[in-house]
Amino acid sequence: MSRMAATRDGYGDALLALAGNPKVVVLEADLGKSTKSLHFRKAHPERTVSCGIGEQNMLLVGAGLASSGYIPFASTFAIFTERAFEQMRNGVARPNLAVHLCGSHGGTHTGTDGSSAQSIEDLAIYRTLPNVVVMHPCDDVSTKALTMQLPELGSPSYMRTARNKTPVLYDGRESEIKIGKGIVVKEGTDVAIIACGVLVHEAMVAAESLESQGVSTTVVDMHTLKPLDTELIDKLAKSCGAIVTAEDHSIIGGLGGAVAEHLITTNPIPMERIGVKDRFGESAGSDEMLEMMELKSQHISDAAKKAIARKV
Amino acid sequence: MNITELEEMARKCRVEICKMVHRAQAGHPGGSLSEIDILCALYGSRLRVQPDNPDWEDRDRFILSKGHASPGMYAVLAEMGFISHADLETYRVKGGVCQGHVDMKWCPGVDFSAGSLGMGLSYGMGCAIAAKLDGSSRNAYVMVGDGEIQEGSIWEAAMAAAHHELGNLKLFLDCNRIQNDDFCETQMRMFDIPAKWNSFGWAVKVIDGHNMSEIVSAIEWMDSITDKPAVVIANTVKGKGVSYMEDNPAFHGAAPSDEQLAIALSELGVNA
């Protein structure tokens, strides 16, 4: 059994590890205990700004700090970042100020808090903003590794983390993780599953099942949705000839949308998308939610077979 | 600059505002004319900036949150030498530094890309916190309109700035009593505006926003407040200086015709 951890813990660890850079500041909107910025706050209260329950203000305080040479990391729940979307658009992305926004508790995997807390559109909306890098890592190791790279990025970013624990994939493999580069976690030749976040693990389970049925399967962790690793996608389109995307996010506009938008211009091979089918969630356990939303490994393997069957 | 010089600067800026909006046949003259005395007083008497080095890190910041009133800002930047008077002819023109709404990526001397109301005070708060972290004595000055304070985010910032005791954050409230569609009183009554800011923990002063001596004194008063954010609530007249624009909601966002421009220039002391 692999180690279990929540990606939000990787974010909290990274902030603390970045504290040696005196330009790093942390902004909170009363959810530091949840997003895990609290570790930084405890160690460096002088560089932590409480914005109260005011996300719109927080984003622009970050913009002001970034314009003055600081590197602000702002976090709240993914769903609450959305109420500051226009601040992110007009005050951060447009002037290209490197504010790093983290939305934790993303996706239906958030679970029993219910549909109001389950952001299923965050990746889609932030992906539409010029200059903004969008990430959704799958484990605490990659979350920490990606967050540690943000001070050098020089442009704004949005990262979704998850509330609940998932199996850890990258212990000891930090050096493989680079913003904008998808990771081939398993190689095969019949179909490629491109997943992000909590569904990377489900994709791995699906691949095991497919292999046992004689289907050679590639699994990619596409932790960065923007800029999208199109080179890798084109390579997979050629080597596998069929693609399945998998995300705990609306089927509209997220990873599936991004991959489809690219492939339609280069190599429109059969493709299936696993995602939340244009509906809201409800209160249930994480695994129950993935089952209810048809995001589990068996849904992914079924989609893989469907995509393969569509090959000419 | 002394008071007479500041008043002359404001007169020249008013002329440029009218010309810019007329040339573009679009834009926002009313709010530019109501804010201009304050902008001239601030730039001409107080703001620590270097027009030949607009990105100087330790400069005071000025954030025009009511970014549609950009002609006023551009006129002042030209008077100060951040941009040339020829640049003013690029207002709303493709490729010009004078974008429709003030934009820090386009225009030297602009500290914030505005255009969406309710954003500048939060941004100014970030600049003020950065100054404190740097151990710098620089200030962040912000200007918002009165209609603008109908945006809820203004009050998020107001509460947060007082909580953080940002004595280096200074706000001008341009109370010209008119917003896009009509008088504020019709669109959304704001009741006792000074009491609101006072109750949010700010130091508050109410002035006549067209009396240059009062404005300069108010800026000195603001700078004397160091333990909390300070707001100067300036009672102004929308369209001030041009008779047919004054107190007229139609000139929030409308350009004068050729004939109207001639009247405006004449009223502003320009010889034909």
Side-chain angles (χ1 to χ4, degrees), chain A residues 50 57 67 70 86 94-95, chain B residues 105 113 116 122-123 134 156 164:
Chain A
S50 165
N57 185 49
S67 77
Y70 284 86
E86 202 220 335
R94 200 167 54 102
Chain B
K105 290 288 174 196
S113 298
S116 176
S122 298
Y123 186 89
D134 285 346
E156 287 186 9
H164 289 285

Side-chain angles (χ1 to χ4, degrees), chain A residues 107-120:
Chain A
T108 65
H109 196 257
T110 295
T112 59
D113 278 339
S115 63
S116 75
Q118 298 164 350
S119 169
I120 50 168

